[in-house]
Amino acid sequence: MFGIATGPDLLRLLAVPAFAWAAYRDLKDRRVPNRTWLPLLAVGAVALSWDLFGILGGTALQRRLFAVQVAFSIGIVAPLGYVFWRIGGFGGADAKAIITLAVLFPTYPVYEVFGTAYPLHSAPLGVLSFTILSNTVLLGLAYPLALAVRNLPRGEITPAMFIGRPAGVDSLSEEYGRLLETPEGFTRRGLDLDALRMYLQWRGATLSELRADPDRYRESLPVEPNDPGDGSIDDGAEDPPGSDGVEPVEDDPWGAAAFLSEYGAYGTPPPELRAGLAVVSEPDRKRIWITPGIPFVVPMFVGLVLALTYGDAMFAALSLFGLS
């Protein structure tokens, strides 16, 4: 069936079911365990070593091209994942996924299936990890348009319509993403809902309890705070154990600084936590705009499958318009 596929390229196909599982976990609870990536990195290292052994018998031009492709993939594509994570554009799992792909797919594989060679279209550089990344970005560009199409029939004409959707305040404990509102209005970077769940778990309170008596929580600290967990929906934050009481606090509204001095809560600063708590505790508020965020491993999995079958979608699109 795979008439002209090499051993290393067949080995690399293990990435497809592994990324399918990672995409499912990312979509389900925005958590991809670290144990996902180490075996794939090992597969990539073995396949790359196997390729290196084989290329030694090739021509000087083939060896130089292989060296350039590997250097680009590992030296440029892999660091892009780290850079995007550092500037807040990616989550940790997204960055690890990109680094893993850079090791797994530094060159274009070739698979012959029933007489047809895949991928169907390649890019001049021939670095599949970069193709996967460009396919992922292209798929990601459709996300704001999908949100706008969803919001438009409801009359939701706001700056947030391209990056978010309205959600019931009482249901925030069941949502992933960020708030797009503060007491002052629209913001591109509101409170992370994982951090909100961590705070509620720490306080031993539900969101309903906080909304029913915001002054109590604004002006106090828990006497015996709980372990906040990691903020995932399945971590127990929606029904946390109660604390034994509260003690007054004067210079730290909501106890935000006390909480964040001990727990990082994904880089949330105290003013951001206070603003988020203030807006979700408004008694008359029934809904709030949130950005659900893109579970980036999902389009990355689709981008991987697209790269292995069709090839470089962005390069093909540019070629169609004579721009490449």
Side-chain angles (χ1 to χ4, degrees):
M1 182 176 177
F2 291 100
I4 58 173
T6 66
D9 287 344
L10 289 174
L11 189 61
R12 289 181 172 104
L13 287 178
L14 291 172
V16 176
F19 265 80
W21 180 81
Y24 167 75
R25 287 296 306 268
D26 198 27
L27 187 63
K28 180 176 179 289
D29 57 18
R30 302 301 199 272
R31 301 292 190 280
V32 181
N34 286 331
R35 65 178 181 272
T36 307
W37 312 117
L38 289 178
L40 287 178
L41 285 170
V43 168
V46 170
L48 187 57
S49 299
W50 195 345
D51 276 336
L52 180 61
F53 180 78
I55 202 68
L56 292 177
T59 66
L61 180 60
Q62 289 173 326
R63 292 195 296 270
R64 284 196 297 269
L65 178 60
F66 178 77
V68 169
Q69 291 168 332
V70 172
F72 186 91
S73 187
I74 296 177
I76 295 180
V77 176
L80 278 177
Y82 175 77
V83 170
F84 288 149
W85 171 73
R86 288 290 300 176
I87 65 176
F90 284 164
D94 305 328
K96 293 167 188 173
I98 290 175
I99 293 169
T100 301
L101 288 171
V103 175
L104 273 167
F105 294 104
T107 62
Y108 262 71
V110 178
Y111 303 103
E112 184 178 305
V113 182
F114 301 123
T116 301
Y118 297 92
L120 297 175
H121 301 277
S122 62
L125 186 59
V127 177
L128 193 76
S129 61
F130 189 70
T131 288
I132 297 167
L133 185 57
S134 67
N135 286 350
T136 303
V137 171
L138 195 62
L139 291 165
L141 291 177
Y143 187 66
L145 296 177
L147 283 173
V149 168
R150 176 180 178 178
N151 290 321
L152 192 59
R154 303 174 182 175
E156 308 287 0
I157 312 298
T158 77
M161 66 181 293
F162 291 97
I163 59 173
R165 60 177 175 81
V169 176
D170 292 334
S171 68
L172 289 179
S173 295
E174 301 292 328
E175 300 279 1
Y176 285 110
R178 283 184 175 273
L179 301 182
L180 288 174
E181 295 186 58
T182 68
E184 289 73 37
F186 172 76
T187 178
R188 289 293 300 270
R189 184 178 174 83
L191 178 63
D192 190 314
L193 295 178
D194 284 353
L196 173 62
R197 275 184 287 274
M198 290 178 67
Y199 174 81
L200 293 172
Q201 176 79 0
W202 177 75
R203 293 217 62 142
T206 64
L207 182 57
S208 297
E209 290 170 341
L210 182 141
R211 283 174 54 78
D213 191 3
D215 290 341
R216 176 176 185 264
Y217 296 97
R218 187 184 297 109
E219 300 168 3
S220 68
L221 288 170
V223 173
E224 296 184 13
N226 303 306
D227 185 326
D230 68 356
S232 64
I233 291 174
D234 295 331
D235 193 47
E238 57 187 298
D239 188 21
S243 62
D244 292 333
V246 296
E247 59 184 22
V249 62
E250 294 181 359
D251 300 323
D252 184 14
W254 302 100
F259 166 61
L260 294 170
S261 66
E262 188 171 359
Y263 303 100
Y266 305 104
T268 304
E272 185 177 290
L273 177 56
R274 293 186 185 114
L277 291 169
V279 74
V280 300
S281 65
E282 293 174 3
D284 297 330
R285 180 180 285 274
K286 302 300 181 185
R287 67 173 195 164
I288 190 168
W289 278 87
I290 67 169
T291 176
I294 302 176
F296 205 70
V297 177
V298 176
M300 202 177 297
F301 165 65
V302 179
L304 167 63
V305 173
L306 185 62
L308 289 172
T309 54
Y310 182 80
D312 196 310
M314 185 173 290
F315 182 77
L318 292 174
S319 299
L320 186 63
F321 294 98
L323 297 176
S324 63

